[in-house]
Amino acid sequence: MLVRPGEKAKVKIKVNGIWYEREVEPRQLLVHFLRDELGLTGTKVGCDTSTCGACTVLLNGKSVKSCTVLTVQADGAEVTTIEGLDAKDIKEAFKENFALQCGYCTPGMIVQSFYLLKEYPHPSEEEIREGIHGNICRCTGYQNIVKAIKQASGDGHVHG
Ligand code: FES
Ligand code: FES
Protein backbone atom coordinates (compact mmCIF):
# COMPACT_ATOMS: atom_id res chain seq x y z
CA MET A 1 0.00 0.00 0.00
CA LEU A 2 1.53 3.33 -1.07
CA VAL A 3 0.53 6.29 1.06
CA ARG A 4 1.92 9.79 0.47
CA PRO A 5 2.96 11.96 3.41
CA GLY A 6 -0.08 13.49 5.08
CA GLU A 7 -2.46 11.04 3.43
CA LYS A 8 -4.55 8.53 5.28
CA ALA A 9 -4.64 4.86 4.46
CA LYS A 10 -7.85 2.96 3.74
CA VAL A 11 -8.16 -0.27 5.68
CA LYS A 12 -10.79 -2.97 5.91
CA ILE A 13 -10.46 -5.16 8.98
CA LYS A 14 -12.75 -7.81 10.40
CA VAL A 15 -12.96 -7.36 14.15
CA ASN A 16 -14.94 -9.79 16.30
CA GLY A 17 -16.83 -10.96 13.23
CA ILE A 18 -17.69 -7.50 11.82
CA TRP A 19 -15.93 -5.83 8.88
CA TYR A 20 -14.90 -2.21 9.47
CA GLU A 21 -13.66 0.19 6.81
CA ARG A 22 -11.76 3.22 8.03
CA GLU A 23 -9.19 5.78 6.93
CA VAL A 24 -6.29 5.76 9.34
CA GLU A 25 -2.96 7.42 9.91
CA PRO A 26 -0.32 5.16 8.34
CA ARG A 27 1.58 5.12 11.63
CA GLN A 28 -1.39 4.25 13.81
CA LEU A 29 -0.94 1.16 15.98
CA LEU A 30 -3.56 -1.57 15.91
CA VAL A 31 -4.17 -1.17 19.66
CA HIS A 32 -5.22 2.45 19.09
CA PHE A 33 -7.42 1.49 16.16
CA LEU A 34 -9.24 -1.00 18.40
CA ARG A 35 -9.56 1.30 21.39
CA ASP A 36 -9.98 4.73 19.83
CA GLU A 37 -11.70 4.03 16.50
CA LEU A 38 -13.83 1.07 17.53
CA GLY A 39 -14.25 1.73 21.25
CA LEU A 40 -13.03 -1.77 22.17
CA THR A 41 -11.31 -0.71 25.36
CA GLY A 42 -10.91 -4.22 26.79
CA THR A 43 -7.56 -4.30 25.04
CA LYS A 44 -5.23 -2.37 27.33
CA VAL A 45 -2.04 -0.38 26.90
CA GLY A 46 0.17 -1.25 29.84
CA CYS A 47 3.62 -0.17 28.67
CA ASP A 48 5.39 1.61 25.87
CA THR A 49 8.08 -1.00 25.38
CA SER A 50 6.12 -3.94 23.91
CA THR A 51 6.75 -6.04 26.99
CA CYS A 52 3.59 -6.22 29.10
CA GLY A 53 1.17 -8.10 26.84
CA ALA A 54 -1.88 -6.18 28.09
CA CYS A 55 -2.64 -5.37 24.45
CA THR A 56 -2.69 -9.00 23.25
CA VAL A 57 -5.27 -9.86 20.57
CA LEU A 58 -5.62 -12.61 17.97
CA LEU A 59 -4.63 -11.63 14.44
CA ASN A 60 -5.74 -14.28 11.95
CA GLY A 61 -5.88 -16.66 14.90
CA LYS A 62 -2.38 -15.98 16.20
CA SER A 63 -1.73 -14.05 19.37
CA VAL A 64 0.04 -10.73 18.83
CA LYS A 65 0.79 -7.68 20.90
CA SER A 66 -1.37 -5.13 19.16
CA CYS A 67 1.00 -2.33 20.13
CA THR A 68 3.60 -3.89 17.85
CA VAL A 69 1.37 -4.06 14.77
CA LEU A 70 0.40 -1.14 12.53
CA THR A 71 -3.27 -0.89 11.68
CA VAL A 72 -2.36 -0.98 7.98
CA GLN A 73 -0.63 -4.32 8.53
CA ALA A 74 -3.97 -5.75 9.63
CA ASP A 75 -5.68 -4.67 6.40
CA GLY A 76 -7.80 -7.57 5.17
CA ALA A 77 -7.17 -9.54 8.33
CA GLU A 78 -9.33 -10.91 11.08
CA VAL A 79 -8.85 -9.65 14.62
CA THR A 80 -10.38 -11.04 17.80
CA THR A 81 -10.27 -8.97 20.97
CA ILE A 82 -11.26 -9.92 24.50
CA GLU A 83 -14.78 -8.62 23.72
CA GLY A 84 -15.22 -11.17 20.92
CA LEU A 85 -13.33 -14.08 22.42
CA ASP A 86 -15.30 -17.21 23.17
CA ALA A 87 -13.48 -17.99 26.41
CA LYS A 88 -16.14 -18.53 29.07
CA ASP A 89 -14.29 -21.42 30.71
CA ILE A 90 -11.06 -19.47 30.97
CA LYS A 91 -12.78 -16.41 32.42
CA GLU A 92 -14.58 -18.60 34.96
CA ALA A 93 -11.35 -20.36 35.90
CA PHE A 94 -9.60 -17.00 36.41
CA LYS A 95 -12.42 -15.90 38.71
CA GLU A 96 -12.50 -19.15 40.67
CA ASN A 97 -8.76 -19.20 41.20
CA PHE A 98 -8.41 -15.53 42.15
CA ALA A 99 -6.13 -15.04 39.19
CA LEU A 100 -6.94 -11.35 38.89
CA GLN A 101 -6.32 -8.50 41.24
CA CYS A 102 -6.06 -5.12 39.55
CA GLY A 103 -7.29 -6.84 36.42
CA TYR A 104 -5.32 -4.64 34.08
CA CYS A 105 -3.29 -7.49 32.63
CA THR A 106 -6.29 -9.84 32.59
CA PRO A 107 -7.72 -9.28 29.10
CA GLY A 108 -4.32 -9.86 27.50
CA MET A 109 -3.67 -12.79 29.78
CA ILE A 110 -7.00 -14.41 28.85
CA VAL A 111 -6.43 -13.91 25.12
CA GLN A 112 -2.96 -15.43 25.51
CA SER A 113 -4.35 -18.33 27.58
CA PHE A 114 -6.94 -19.00 24.89
CA TYR A 115 -4.19 -19.17 22.28
CA LEU A 116 -2.01 -21.33 24.50
CA LEU A 117 -4.81 -23.83 25.09
CA LYS A 118 -5.58 -23.94 21.37
CA GLU A 119 -1.94 -24.82 20.66
CA TYR A 120 -1.48 -27.05 23.72
CA PRO A 121 -4.83 -28.37 24.94
CA HIS A 122 -3.19 -30.08 27.94
CA PRO A 123 -0.21 -27.94 28.84
CA SER A 124 2.23 -28.81 31.59
CA GLU A 125 2.95 -26.16 34.21
CA GLU A 126 6.19 -25.44 32.40
CA GLU A 127 4.40 -24.96 29.07
CA ILE A 128 1.89 -22.64 30.74
CA ARG A 129 4.64 -20.52 32.26
CA GLU A 130 6.47 -20.45 28.94
CA GLY A 131 3.22 -19.61 27.11
CA ILE A 132 2.46 -16.57 29.24
CA HIS A 133 5.99 -15.29 29.70
CA GLY A 134 5.26 -12.33 27.41
CA ASN A 135 2.38 -11.19 29.63
CA ILE A 136 3.35 -9.35 32.74
CA CYS A 137 1.17 -9.37 35.84
CA ARG A 138 2.64 -7.33 38.63
CA CYS A 139 0.33 -8.40 41.40
CA THR A 140 -0.66 -12.08 41.39
CA GLY A 141 2.73 -13.79 41.33
CA TYR A 142 1.44 -16.03 38.50
CA GLN A 143 0.65 -18.99 40.77
CA ASN A 144 -3.11 -18.48 40.54
CA ILE A 145 -2.96 -17.66 36.86
CA VAL A 146 -1.15 -20.94 36.20
CA LYS A 147 -3.75 -22.78 38.29
CA ALA A 148 -6.57 -21.08 36.39
CA ILE A 149 -5.13 -22.06 33.01
CA LYS A 150 -4.61 -25.61 34.21
CA GLN A 151 -8.23 -25.75 35.36
CA ALA A 152 -9.48 -24.28 32.09
CA SER A 153 -7.59 -27.01 30.24
CA GLY A 154 -9.66 -29.53 32.16
CA ASP A 155 -6.53 -31.02 33.71
CA GLY A 156 -6.40 -29.52 37.12
CA HIS A 157 -9.38 -28.80 39.28
CA VAL A 158 -7.05 -27.48 41.90
CA HIS A 159 -8.43 -25.22 44.58
CA GLY A 160 -6.84 -23.39 47.45
S1 FES B 1 0.98 -2.29 25.63
FE1 FES B 1 1.57 -3.79 24.21
S2 FES B 1 3.04 -4.98 25.23
FE2 FES B 1 2.51 -3.44 26.66
S1 FES C 1 -3.95 -8.52 37.98
FE1 FES C 1 -2.75 -6.77 38.33
S2 FES C 1 -1.25 -6.69 36.78
FE2 FES C 1 -2.33 -8.50 36.53
Side-chain angles (χ1 to χ4, degrees):
M1 178 186 315
L2 185 64
V3 183
R4 289 179 219 294
E7 272 184 11
K8 291 204 168 183
K10 271 202 186 119
V11 293
K12 195 175 169 193
I13 304 174
K14 193 177 190 179
V15 182
N16 299 335
I18 300 169
W19 282 103
Y20 294 91
E21 283 188 59
R22 291 286 190 282
E23 294 203 342
V24 301
E25 293 288 344
R27 281 184 301 177
Q28 185 191 56
L29 297 172
L30 181 59
V31 67
H32 295 307
F33 177 75
L34 296 170
R35 290 177 54 85
D36 306 340
E37 300 271 344
L38 305 188
L40 296 168
T41 52
T43 303
K44 306 294 186 207
V45 181
C47 70
D48 53 14
T49 52
S50 311
T51 50
C52 76
C55 63
T56 304
V57 300
L58 301 180
L59 179 62
N60 288 335
K62 290 232 153 46
S63 95
V64 296
K65 293 180 176 178
S66 59
C67 73
T68 65
V69 177
L70 294 169
T71 305
V72 292
Q73 290 176 298
D75 187 30
E78 197 164 330
V79 175
T80 306
T81 69
I82 186 70
E83 288 89 347
L85 196 74
D86 182 12
K88 229 162 110 216
D89 291 358
I90 302 175
K91 290 179 194 169
E92 269 310 305
F94 267 65
K95 244 194 275 169
E96 281 181 27
N97 290 279
F98 307 104
L100 27 92
Q101 286 180 26
C102 79
Y104 205 78
C105 66
T106 307
M109 200 66 88
I110 287 178
V111 173
Q112 184 60 24
S113 306
F114 179 90
Y115 181 68
L116 171 70
L117 292 175
K118 204 170 63 146
E119 297 290 297
Y120 299 91
H122 301 287
S124 64
E125 176 164 345
E126 209 182 1
E127 285 166 337
I128 293 175
R129 286 184 186 275
E130 173 66 17
I132 58 169
H133 84 279
N135 291 66
I136 293 173
C137 175
R138 297 192 194 280
C139 39
T140 66
Y142 295 94
Q143 199 51 44
N144 292 345
I145 291 174
V146 172
K147 258 198 251 169
I149 297 173
K150 199 93 178 113
Q151 179 177 322
S153 76
D155 275 359
H157 289 272
V158 199
H159 287 277

mmCIF file of all heavy atoms in Angstrom, residues 31 44-56 65-68 134, ligand 1:
data_model
loop_
_atom_site.group_PDB
_atom_site.id
_atom_site.type_symbol
_atom_site.label_atom_id
_atom_site.label_comp_id
_atom_site.label_asym_id
_atom_site.label_seq_id
_atom_site.Cartn_x
_atom_site.Cartn_y
_atom_site.Cartn_z
ATOM 1 N N VAL A 31 -3.525 -1.329 18.348
ATOM 2 C CA VAL A 31 -4.169 -1.171 19.657
ATOM 3 C C VAL A 31 -4.971 0.133 19.718
ATOM 4 O O VAL A 31 -6.064 0.177 20.292
ATOM 5 C CB VAL A 31 -3.145 -1.273 20.820
ATOM 6 C CG1 VAL A 31 -2.162 -0.105 20.823
ATOM 7 C CG2 VAL A 31 -3.862 -1.362 22.157
ATOM 8 N N LYS A 44 -5.870 -3.434 26.551
ATOM 9 C CA LYS A 44 -5.228 -2.369 27.330
ATOM 10 C C LYS A 44 -3.861 -1.997 26.776
ATOM 11 O O LYS A 44 -3.215 -2.786 26.091
ATOM 12 C CB LYS A 44 -5.038 -2.826 28.785
ATOM 13 C CG LYS A 44 -6.304 -3.311 29.466
ATOM 14 C CD LYS A 44 -7.302 -2.193 29.636
ATOM 15 C CE LYS A 44 -8.511 -2.635 30.433
ATOM 16 N NZ LYS A 44 -9.706 -1.870 30.101
ATOM 17 N N VAL A 45 -3.422 -0.793 27.176
ATOM 18 C CA VAL A 45 -2.042 -0.378 26.904
ATOM 19 C C VAL A 45 -1.366 -0.295 28.269
ATOM 20 O O VAL A 45 -1.721 0.537 29.096
ATOM 21 C CB VAL A 45 -1.973 1.001 26.229
ATOM 22 C CG1 VAL A 45 -0.519 1.370 25.936
ATOM 23 C CG2 VAL A 45 -2.779 1.019 24.952
ATOM 24 N N GLY A 46 -0.433 -1.204 28.513
ATOM 25 C CA GLY A 46 0.172 -1.249 29.838
ATOM 26 C C GLY A 46 1.619 -0.812 29.861
ATOM 27 O O GLY A 46 2.225 -0.725 30.926
ATOM 28 N N CYS A 47 2.204 -0.560 28.703
ATOM 29 C CA CYS A 47 3.619 -0.166 28.675
ATOM 30 C C CYS A 47 3.869 0.562 27.360
ATOM 31 O O CYS A 47 2.992 0.627 26.520
ATOM 32 C CB CYS A 47 4.518 -1.401 28.750
ATOM 33 S SG CYS A 47 4.490 -2.419 27.250
ATOM 34 N N ASP A 48 5.071 1.089 27.204
ATOM 35 C CA ASP A 48 5.393 1.613 25.867
ATOM 36 C C ASP A 48 6.658 0.950 25.351
ATOM 37 O O ASP A 48 7.421 1.525 24.601
ATOM 38 C CB ASP A 48 5.488 3.149 25.875
ATOM 39 C CG ASP A 48 6.441 3.649 26.930
ATOM 40 O OD1 ASP A 48 7.214 2.827 27.454
ATOM 41 O OD2 ASP A 48 6.414 4.860 27.231
ATOM 42 N N THR A 49 6.855 -0.282 25.793
ATOM 43 C CA THR A 49 8.076 -1.000 25.385
ATOM 44 C C THR A 49 7.783 -2.379 24.797
ATOM 45 O O THR A 49 8.680 -3.203 24.674
ATOM 46 C CB THR A 49 9.002 -1.165 26.612
ATOM 47 O OG1 THR A 49 8.227 -1.743 27.681
ATOM 48 C CG2 THR A 49 9.567 0.160 27.079
ATOM 49 N N SER A 50 6.520 -2.649 24.491
ATOM 50 C CA SER A 50 6.120 -3.944 23.905
ATOM 51 C C SER A 50 6.439 -5.133 24.796
ATOM 52 O O SER A 50 6.735 -6.210 24.303
ATOM 53 C CB SER A 50 6.804 -4.177 22.549
ATOM 54 O OG SER A 50 6.658 -3.071 21.749
ATOM 55 N N THR A 51 6.383 -4.935 26.103
ATOM 56 C CA THR A 51 6.752 -6.036 26.985
ATOM 57 C C THR A 51 5.602 -6.575 27.833
ATOM 58 O O THR A 51 5.673 -7.710 28.291
ATOM 59 C CB THR A 51 7.864 -5.618 27.977
ATOM 60 O OG1 THR A 51 7.475 -4.396 28.583
ATOM 61 C CG2 THR A 51 9.203 -5.477 27.318
ATOM 62 N N CYS A 52 4.546 -5.802 28.066
ATOM 63 C CA CYS A 52 3.590 -6.221 29.103
ATOM 64 C C CYS A 52 2.531 -7.212 28.630
ATOM 65 O O CYS A 52 2.006 -7.978 29.419
ATOM 66 C CB CYS A 52 2.915 -4.996 29.717
ATOM 67 S SG CYS A 52 1.650 -4.268 28.660
ATOM 68 N N GLY A 53 2.160 -7.162 27.354
ATOM 69 C CA GLY A 53 1.168 -8.103 26.843
ATOM 70 C C GLY A 53 -0.278 -7.731 27.137
ATOM 71 O O GLY A 53 -1.190 -8.474 26.770
ATOM 72 N N ALA A 54 -0.506 -6.587 27.774
ATOM 73 C CA ALA A 54 -1.883 -6.177 28.087
ATOM 74 C C ALA A 54 -2.696 -5.912 26.814
ATOM 75 O O ALA A 54 -3.928 -5.903 26.850
ATOM 76 C CB ALA A 54 -1.871 -4.927 28.966
ATOM 77 N N CYS A 55 -1.996 -5.716 25.720
ATOM 78 C CA CYS A 55 -2.639 -5.374 24.449
ATOM 79 C C CYS A 55 -2.828 -6.592 23.538
ATOM 80 O O CYS A 55 -3.118 -6.426 22.356
ATOM 81 C CB CYS A 55 -1.772 -4.344 23.739
ATOM 82 S SG CYS A 55 -0.141 -5.047 23.332
ATOM 83 N N THR A 56 -2.664 -7.797 24.084
ATOM 84 C CA THR A 56 -2.690 -9.005 23.249
ATOM 85 C C THR A 56 -4.062 -9.235 22.605
ATOM 86 O O THR A 56 -5.095 -9.171 23.274
ATOM 87 C CB THR A 56 -2.318 -10.241 24.107
ATOM 88 O OG1 THR A 56 -1.056 -10.001 24.710
ATOM 89 C CG2 THR A 56 -2.252 -11.506 23.259
ATOM 90 N N LYS A 65 0.908 -8.892 20.087
ATOM 91 C CA LYS A 65 0.795 -7.682 20.896
ATOM 92 C C LYS A 65 0.375 -6.567 19.942
ATOM 93 O O LYS A 65 1.134 -6.199 19.040
ATOM 94 C CB LYS A 65 2.143 -7.380 21.559
ATOM 95 C CG LYS A 65 2.500 -8.445 22.592
ATOM 96 C CD LYS A 65 3.818 -8.188 23.264
ATOM 97 C CE LYS A 65 4.035 -9.248 24.349
ATOM 98 N NZ LYS A 65 5.304 -9.116 25.046
ATOM 99 N N SER A 66 -0.831 -6.058 20.157
ATOM 100 C CA SER A 66 -1.375 -5.132 19.158
ATOM 101 C C SER A 66 -0.692 -3.774 19.179
ATOM 102 O O SER A 66 -0.957 -2.929 18.332
ATOM 103 C CB SER A 66 -2.887 -4.977 19.332
ATOM 104 O OG SER A 66 -3.212 -4.498 20.616
ATOM 105 N N CYS A 67 0.205 -3.560 20.150
ATOM 106 C CA CYS A 67 0.998 -2.326 20.126
ATOM 107 C C CYS A 67 2.253 -2.492 19.272
ATOM 108 O O CYS A 67 3.037 -1.560 19.138
ATOM 109 C CB CYS A 67 1.388 -1.902 21.543
ATOM 110 S SG CYS A 67 2.654 -2.948 22.279
ATOM 111 N N THR A 68 2.425 -3.689 18.717
ATOM 112 C CA THR A 68 3.597 -3.894 17.854
ATOM 113 C C THR A 68 3.178 -4.059 16.397
ATOM 114 O O THR A 68 3.997 -4.379 15.545
ATOM 115 C CB THR A 68 4.390 -5.155 18.264
ATOM 116 O OG1 THR A 68 3.557 -6.303 18.046
ATOM 117 C CG2 THR A 68 4.815 -5.121 19.715
ATOM 118 N N GLY A 134 5.302 -13.672 28.004
ATOM 119 C CA GLY A 134 5.261 -12.331 27.406
ATOM 120 C C GLY A 134 4.164 -11.458 27.998
ATOM 121 O O GLY A 134 3.939 -10.339 27.535
HETATM 122 S S1 FES B 1 0.979 -2.295 25.630
HETATM 123 FE FE1 FES B 1 1.568 -3.791 24.208
HETATM 124 S S2 FES B 1 3.038 -4.981 25.228
HETATM 125 FE FE2 FES B 1 2.505 -3.438 26.661
#
